[in-house]
């Protein structure tokens, strides 16, 4: 019998949202359209329409020695072409953002190939070949894993994301990469590093409190679902904690 991943415990909507994002068989809701050119502008790694810079010749031209692993593992399009490695980094508000650092890494590892994710307390980075990155970034920005007000693409100077939200519901950003217009649409005026863009990039309207609470993957006792209210999740974490504490004493579960 084949192993069926469980992805995570819990009976709350937060737990269900976490499992949905991690499960590659679950199709995530597409909630906005961002053009390929706009994705390139936000990333800031190359000029839209320019050729992909390479780190090495295409694999087909390298005349690598015969290797059984190469026959088993199919290269991504970026690896096949010899693209250089680039990144996108996300900052998620603690106030019910639709995703968060560890959740992003788990989800990306299940859904994407050829990536190197990095998880920090308040930001999450994913590195991979450039043309693969643009495809993955488009998915991460267009689907329910992103909200224009509570998620931000910040390659540097992430600080302030976990402070209280501004009166308009936007996260604080010292570099003010994106702004909320009078029409309710969030637009990037700088790329993820903070370099000014030649034109604004629209990423849609904030989804609103009701949608956010229904799609969040964050437990929050004040503005969302309290962690202690998900008894199954608490039981699971208590078990893990107990086993880790007893680990050196060879624990045995009854």
């Amino acid at each position: 019998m084949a192993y069926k991943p469980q992805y995570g415990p819990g009976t709350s909507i937060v737990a269900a949202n976490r499992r949905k994002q991690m499960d590659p068989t679950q199709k995530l809701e597409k909630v906005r359209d961002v053009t390929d050119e706009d994705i390139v502008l936000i990333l800031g790694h190359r000029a839209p329409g320019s050729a992909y810079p390479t780190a090495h010749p295409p694999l087909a031209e390298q005349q690598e020695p015969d290797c059984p692993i190469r026959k088993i593992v199919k290269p991504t399009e970026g690896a096949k072409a010899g693209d250089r490695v680039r990144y996108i980094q996300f900052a998620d508000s603690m106030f019910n953002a639709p995703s968060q650092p560890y959740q992003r890494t788990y989800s990306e590892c299940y859904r994407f190939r050829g990536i190197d994710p990095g998880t920090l307390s308040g930001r999450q980075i994913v590195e991979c070949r450039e043309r693969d990155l643009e495809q993955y970034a488009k998915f991460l920005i267009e689907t329910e894993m992103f909200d224009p007000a509570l998620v931000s693409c910040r390659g540097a100077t992430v600080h302030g994301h976990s402070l209280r939200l501004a009166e308009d519901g936007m996260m604080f950003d010292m570099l003010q990469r994106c702004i909320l217009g009078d029409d309710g649409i969030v637009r990037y005026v700088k790329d993820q590093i903070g370099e000014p863009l030649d034109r604004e990039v629209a990423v849609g309207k904030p989804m609103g409190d009701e949608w956010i609470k229904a799609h969040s993957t964050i437990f929050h006792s004040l503005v969302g679902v309290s962690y202690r209210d998900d008894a199954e999740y608490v039981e699971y974490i208590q078990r893990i904690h107990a086993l880790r504490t007893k680990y050196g004493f060879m624990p045995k579960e009854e």
Side-chain angles (χ1 to χ4, degrees):
M1 182 177 175
Y3 172 74
K4 184 178 179 180
Q6 298 181 59
Y7 298 107
T11 58
S12 63
I13 185 63
V14 170
N17 291 337
R18 290 182 177 186
R19 288 192 292 268
K20 181 181 180 182
Q21 289 186 8
M22 286 189 280
D23 186 351
T25 65
Q26 294 282 329
K27 185 176 180 179
L28 298 187
E29 177 186 1
K30 182 178 178 180
V31 293
R32 65 187 60 84
D33 287 301
V34 182
T35 67
D36 294 346
E37 180 177 316
D38 286 348
I39 294 294
V40 172
L41 287 172
I42 292 174
L43 292 174
H45 299 308
R46 68 184 181 94
S50 64
Y52 289 100
T54 58
H56 58 76
L59 295 182
E61 300 175 10
Q62 290 209 81
Q63 299 180 338
E64 295 284 351
D66 187 47
C67 172
I69 301 302
R70 290 194 183 92
K71 296 177 181 178
I72 298 173
V73 181
K74 183 180 178 181
T76 66
E77 291 303 312
K80 194 184 300 183
D83 290 356
R84 61 184 181 173
V85 172
R86 286 297 180 264
Y87 72 91
I88 187 170
Q89 183 166 259
F90 291 95
D92 300 287
S93 171
M94 61 183 287
F95 293 102
N96 281 341
S99 200
Q100 24 93 359
Y102 272 103
Q103 175 68 23
R104 288 188 179 279
T105 291
Y106 296 149
S107 301
E108 291 162 359
C109 284
Y110 281 120
R111 289 180 177 272
F112 304 149
R113 297 183 62 239
I115 64 168
D116 181 13
T119 312
L120 295 94
S121 60
R123 68 193 84 172
Q124 192 270 351
I125 190 171
V126 57
E127 302 175 347
C128 59
R129 303 290 184 143
E130 193 163 4
R131 75 188 66 201
D132 301 328
L133 173 69
E134 291 172 8
Q135 176 186 341
Y136 300 156
K138 187 176 176 68
F139 174 89
L140 293 169
I141 292 174
E142 287 189 335
T143 64
E144 59 188 87
M145 290 185 70
F146 185 91
D147 176 78
L150 303 181
V151 181
S152 184
C153 301
R154 303 184 186 183
T157 316
V158 183
H159 316 89
H161 70 281
S162 62
L163 301 177
R164 65 179 177 82
L165 299 175
E167 290 181 354
D168 59 6
M170 296 284 290
M171 276 195 298
F172 171 78
D173 182 4
M174 194 169 102
L175 299 185
Q176 201 172 34
R177 274 158 275 223
C178 55
I179 57 177
L180 178 64
D182 293 336
D183 56 0
I185 295 177
V186 176
R187 294 176 174 86
Y188 276 80
V189 295
K190 300 176 182 177
D191 65 20
Q192 65 173 342
I193 291 295
E195 294 292 333
L197 296 172
D198 292 335
R199 64 171 177 82
E200 298 178 343
V201 173
V203 290
K205 296 182 178 182
M207 300 303 292
D209 290 342
E210 186 176 345
W211 187 93
I212 282 297
K213 288 182 179 180
H215 290 79
S216 179
T217 58
I218 298 175
F219 288 106
H220 199 300
S221 60
L222 297 179
V223 297
V225 178
S226 175
Y227 182 82
R228 63 172 62 91
D229 289 341
D230 193 327
E232 183 178 295
Y233 223 115
V234 173
E235 179 184 3
Y236 175 81
I237 295 300
Q238 287 176 337
R239 171 176 172 264
I240 295 298
H241 178 70
L243 291 178
R244 289 184 64 184
T245 302
K246 300 173 184 177
Y247 178 76
F249 301 98
M250 301 300 289
K252 293 182 180 180
E253 292 188 86
E254 296 298 332

